[in-house]
Amino acid sequence: MERRVHGSRPRGRRAAVAVVALLAGLVLAAHGSIAPAKKPAVGTGLKSSTQRAVFVGNNWEGTADVLRFRPPSGSKPGGFTRIARLNIIPDINERMAEMLTDPERLGYFLAIRALIGEGNDQFVDDMYSTNDGRLLIVSRPSLADVVAISFETGQIVWRFRVAGQRSDHMGLSPDGTRVAVSASTGNVVHILDTATGQEVGTFESGDSPHENAYSRDGSRIFHASIGLVYTPLDQPLLDSTKGERYFQVVDAQTNEILKRIDMGQKLAEAGYPNMSSAVRPMALSPDERFVYFQVSFFHGFVEYDLIEDRVMRVAELPNLIPDTPREAYLLDSAHHGIAMNGAGTKLCVAGTMSDYAAIVDRQSFSHRLLPLGEKPYWVTDSDDGEHCFISWSGSDAVSALSYAKETEVARIDVGDHPQRIRTGNVRTDWVNSQ
């Protein structure tokens, strides 16, 4: 079932030259003020080691904030500290110049801006650091690639051009040696070596591959495709026009697809007809028997038993925009972002269209709403499993929420349109040089 897919080759047409030249000028003007990462001082004699950090991708700005999180302790409040802001598009001149000879690439660039980016270019989608804290690996949707950027120099160490015309969500293997990258229009997931950027495998997906999550032991990848979320055909009777959408369990060693599930069908069998098959963000229980996932247009999430292969329960959370038509939902997302605490007792949910975060009791599905910003778009757990980080993409901010207290314990302003948040490693000598 494994198939190697390659991106299309450039095909130049003179008619596009003037348009791309103008476009390149506009993009460069918009992003010309981004500061490169600072270089560490030479000869400082600092001992090389790593420390933990929080990474926030500012999608429209083309930057990533590197943060330090301090959880509350006794009477001391929690807080975020910004270590640095990295330029994720240091090669924007070169990438725009490539479009002078590739009108197909230009067409998709403009389409991503108009149909997915809400009129903005998408320069930072997902990101992970390497275990040694030297590189930040970033998927860049509008540029259809994945790059590894050196923290020390701010320069690109390697670049991988994905199949098709857009890169999306990624997943990092527990040992840090592999990153799974969804190629949105290529309908394939690339497995890359994090040190070199070389492709070491692929597996097929449905339309618009999206979420990737490795199992704790690294043996499996839980993957989902979301279909054509940018079409205006959003009513339940037109659901079939959204394309092929699957939840997949993949063998991470062989890239064999072990399970391929139509979740819309599974939901119908459980008594929930006319729900979408598009699985959005997901969270696994500590024993990895249950997966909790969001689906397109639904305000809430689904509990699914991976052993029995059936829907167990559906959690309905408040819809605070009942008069908003489905066609106005952000890329079909009612909710987009979910995580589970380390104890496996609570979930943290991003109520994207309703502008709230929700802390949900796993057993009863009782919840507390926290309306702390606009358009929450992702949730990631802190390293201690006692807090969740949520991005407010419409407010350009990130919050830390306490699972136990069900309150906000820290907040920081970040760049333009934060989406993905990840935790990882940075080198201590680099941090000390900032």
Side-chain angles (χ1 to χ4, degrees):
M1 188 170 292
E2 184 176 344
R3 177 169 61 91
R4 187 174 297 274
V5 182
H6 299 281
S8 57
R9 296 182 178 179
R11 298 194 302 272
R13 291 189 179 93
R14 294 181 180 177
V17 172
V19 177
V20 182
L22 175 61
L23 178 62
L26 292 174
V27 172
L28 293 176
H31 297 278
S33 61
I34 299 174
K38 296 179 182 178
K39 294 184 179 180
V42 177
T44 59
L46 295 174
K47 183 179 179 180
S48 296
S49 60
T50 62
Q51 58 185 262
R52 299 294 286 173
V54 180
F55 308 105
V56 180
N58 304 310
N59 194 12
W60 295 351
E61 186 174 273
T63 65
D65 281 309
V66 184
L67 310 176
R68 181 186 291 111
F69 172 63
R70 182 186 68 254
S73 178
S75 61
K76 295 181 180 179
F80 286 108
T81 303
R82 180 179 293 103
I83 299 171
R85 177 168 291 174
L86 303 179
N87 178 8
I88 304 302
I89 50 173
D91 59 334
I92 188 63
N93 296 32
E94 183 180 356
R95 301 283 78 82
M96 295 307 299
E98 287 176 349
M99 293 188 196
L100 291 171
T101 59
D102 192 347
E104 181 182 17
R105 188 75 272 286
L106 169 64
Y108 274 95
F109 183 91
L110 294 172
I112 292 169
R113 174 188 290 177
L115 299 176
I116 302 177
E118 302 177 72
N120 300 273
D121 300 319
Q122 293 194 309
F123 289 128
V124 185
D125 190 277
D126 212 342
M127 82 229 94
Y128 287 95
S129 64
T130 52
N131 285 358
D132 62 8
R134 294 179 181 273
L135 304 176
L136 186 67
I137 300 170
V138 187
S139 58
R140 306 188 300 181
S142 287
L143 301 180
D145 64 11
V146 182
V147 294
I149 294 179
S150 166
F151 285 108
E152 182 178 5
T153 68
Q155 299 304 305
I156 294 174
V157 175
W158 57 255
R159 175 177 182 255
F160 180 85
R161 173 74 161 82
V162 302
Q165 303 292 345
R166 185 179 181 275
S167 54
D168 199 49
H169 289 213
M170 303 193 298
L172 184 71
S173 63
D175 64 4
T177 64
R178 300 287 185 266
V179 63
V181 184
S182 288
S184 295
T185 68
N187 290 5
V188 67
V189 175
H190 302 281
I191 310 299
L192 307 182
D193 183 297
T194 56
T196 66
Q198 295 296 308
E199 183 183 84
V200 294
T202 64
F203 62 84
E204 293 180 344
S205 177
D207 289 301
S208 297
H210 197 55
E211 183 71 333
N212 298 293
Y214 276 84
S215 61
R216 186 174 289 103
D217 64 3
S219 66
R220 294 170 293 166
I221 301 172
F222 302 99
H223 170 73
S225 49
I226 58 173
L228 308 180
V229 298
Y230 43 81
T231 71
L233 305 176
D234 292 339
Q235 296 306 312
L237 294 179
L238 299 172
D239 185 70
S240 61
T241 65
K242 292 290 185 179
E244 296 181 342
R245 292 147 296 165
Y246 305 112
F247 176 88
Q248 298 178 179
V249 181
V250 180
D251 186 309
Q253 303 304 314
T254 65
N255 297 317
E256 177 187 359
I257 298 174
L258 305 176
K259 291 182 181 180
R260 174 172 273 187
I261 301 168
D262 182 332
M263 283 300 183
Q265 179 180 337
K266 290 290 187 179
L267 282 160
E269 291 172 357
Y272 302 93
N274 297 322
M275 289 184 67
S276 175
S277 296
V279 172
R280 313 305 292 254
M282 65 183 79
L284 292 161
S285 61
D287 62 3
E288 297 186 342
R289 172 169 180 168
F290 297 94
V291 59
Y292 296 80
F293 58 82
Q294 295 157 325
V295 298
S296 289
F297 305 111
F298 183 64
H299 297 259
F301 57 86
V302 178
E303 179 187 66
Y304 191 85
D305 189 322
L306 289 167
I307 294 179
E308 296 187 13
D309 272 332
R310 66 187 182 96
V311 172
M312 302 301 291
R313 296 183 294 167
V314 171
E316 294 191 35
L317 296 178
N319 175 7
L320 304 185
I321 53 161
D323 298 325
T324 300
R326 290 162 70 104
E327 290 77 13
Y329 278 30
L330 178 62
L331 300 175
D332 297 354
S333 296
H335 287 187
H336 193 278
I338 187 169
M340 180 176 287
N341 67 345
T345 58
K346 292 185 177 182
L347 296 107
C348 182
V349 176
T352 305
M353 290 300 297
S354 293
D355 293 338
Y356 63 69
I359 303 296
V360 184
D361 182 86
R362 180 183 174 192
Q363 182 175 5
S364 67
F365 288 165
S366 61
H367 56 268
R368 180 177 184 183
L369 301 187
L370 301 172
L372 301 170
E374 297 179 4
K375 201 169 66 174
Y377 214 67
W378 193 253
V379 180
T380 295
D381 275 335
S382 61
D383 289 335
D384 62 13
E386 297 180 2
H387 303 85
C388 61
F389 305 133
I390 185 166
S391 60
W392 304 98
S393 64
S395 304
D396 296 340
V398 167
S399 292
L401 310 179
S402 167
Y403 278 109
K405 296 183 179 179
E406 300 184 354
T407 59
E408 181 182 67
V409 297
R411 187 182 185 92
I412 189 171
D413 292 334
V414 291
D416 190 11
H417 204 263
Q419 290 190 194
R420 226 66 61 228
I421 309 171
R422 302 293 187 186
T423 59
N425 294 332
V426 290
R427 288 170 58 89
T428 299
D429 53 3
W430 175 77
V431 171
N432 291 338
S433 72
Q434 300 306 300

